[in-house]
Amino acid sequence: MNDPIIDDQLASLNLDFLVSMLFLLIITSSIISIAEGRLMTTEKTEQLAEARLISEKVAHIIEVVYSNGEGHEIRIKMPSSVKGSNYLVKVNQSGVLVMVGGRRGHSFSYRKRINSYTTNQTSVFMFPKKSYIIRNMKVNNNSHAVTISEG
């Protein structure tokens, strides 16, 4: 009655080996999947950090131009990409917003009038690989605006 189902000890050892290898394969593939997800998250974080640096740079230039008074201007060349991805910069009176890969980086700015030199819009878009001139101009008798134009 106590006869083992498998009398062959070598076959039993092979079956244990196969089950162990299956578990090892499952654990290894899980670790690789988790590592890949973490790597992608790291790349997106680096991309957003670089986008945030662009927004901080543009916001700082706007502050410098505004605080130096009428006629002061600074030329800025936009980078060609952010970690290999296209981006878009939107500037308005509340700050600078950089959009890249479905994510956004924002730098706040003290309220000031921002407009485009050619179209007199209150929001200005800045594109990769282009140069812009940011200048402080007198609008009315005692009011100033920061204008952004391609240059």
Side-chain angles (χ1 to χ4, degrees):
M1 289 251 311
N2 283 339
D3 289 334
I5 295 175
I6 300 176
D7 278 336
D8 189 3
Q9 293 294 327
L10 190 58
S12 177
L13 184 62
N14 283 338
L15 186 61
D16 288 343
F17 177 75
L18 286 175
V19 170
S20 298
M21 289 309 290
L22 178 66
F23 283 135
L24 183 62
L25 183 65
I26 290 171
I27 290 171
T28 304
S29 65
S30 297
I31 290 173
I32 290 172
S33 175
I34 290 170
E36 182 183 12
R38 297 291 173 120
L39 183 63
M40 289 180 68
T41 301
T42 303
E43 288 173 0
K44 290 204 180 263
T45 302
E46 285 179 23
Q47 190 180 53
L48 188 58
E50 190 173 324
R52 181 67 192 263
L53 286 173
I54 292 171
S55 71
E56 289 291 336
K57 181 179 178 182
V58 172
H60 175 72
I61 289 173
I62 289 171
E63 293 297 327
V64 168
V65 166
Y66 189 76
S67 63
N68 281 321
E70 181 183 353
H72 190 78
E73 68 181 37
I74 296 177
R75 182 180 301 267
I76 182 174
K77 171 102 170 106
M78 301 304 287
S80 60
S81 67
V82 173
K83 294 287 183 192
S85 296
N86 285 332
Y87 66 94
L88 178 66
V89 178
K90 180 181 178 184
V91 182
N92 62 22
Q93 65 184 0
S94 67
V96 180
L97 176 69
V98 177
M99 296 167 277
V100 60
R103 295 176 180 242
R104 298 169 177 233
H106 191 271
S107 294
F108 293 100
S109 177
Y110 296 110
R111 291 184 64 83
K112 64 189 66 51
R113 187 171 174 188
I114 304 283
N115 62 20
S116 171
Y117 185 70
T118 55
T119 59
N120 203 20
Q121 297 174 334
T122 57
S123 291
V124 179
F125 290 96
M126 300 172 78
F127 300 98
K129 299 182 191 175
K130 295 195 176 189
S131 292
Y132 293 91
I133 299 171
I134 301 173
R135 72 174 55 106
N136 188 339
M137 295 181 64
K138 195 172 202 175
V139 178
N140 296 330
N141 290 338
N142 57 0
S143 125
H144 291 267
V146 174
T147 60
I148 300 173
S149 60
E150 248 185 90

